[in-house]
Amino acid sequence: MLTDDPILDEDRRQAEWDAKCAAAPRCCHCNCSIYPHDTYLEIDDMIYCEPCVAYGTRYTDNLEV
């Protein structure tokens, strides 16, 4: 709910955002909240955020061994 005080409104919005991020699981690699991202990867009870997965992913056109 917005008030006549834009500073108070922004402080309240930021506090809500911080609470959502704090409640979400955290990445095992960077320790950041996974909340602002659409997806995450879970391997053996380890959670990795979308940016860490993208950073550690290598694409190749030729998978011949």
Side-chain angles (χ1 to χ4, degrees):
M1 174 170 56
L2 295 177
T3 66
D4 291 335
D5 185 355
I7 294 173
L8 178 64
D9 293 342
E10 177 57 22
D11 288 345
R12 184 177 292 137
R13 188 199 64 77
Q14 187 63 46
E16 290 173 3
W17 175 260
D18 292 343
K20 284 182 182 180
C21 287
R26 304 192 78 71
C27 176
C28 295
H29 182 72
C30 70
N31 201 32
C32 292
S33 174
I34 62 159
Y35 177 69
H37 307 290
D38 293 331
T39 61
Y40 66 92
L41 179 66
E42 186 172 349
I43 301 174
D44 295 331
D45 296 328
M46 303 286 281
I47 294 175
Y48 301 94
C49 67
E50 192 173 313
C52 287
V53 171
Y55 178 76
T57 302
R58 305 292 183 265
Y59 294 96
T60 181
D61 291 330
N62 185 2
L63 291 177
E64 292 180 27
V65 183

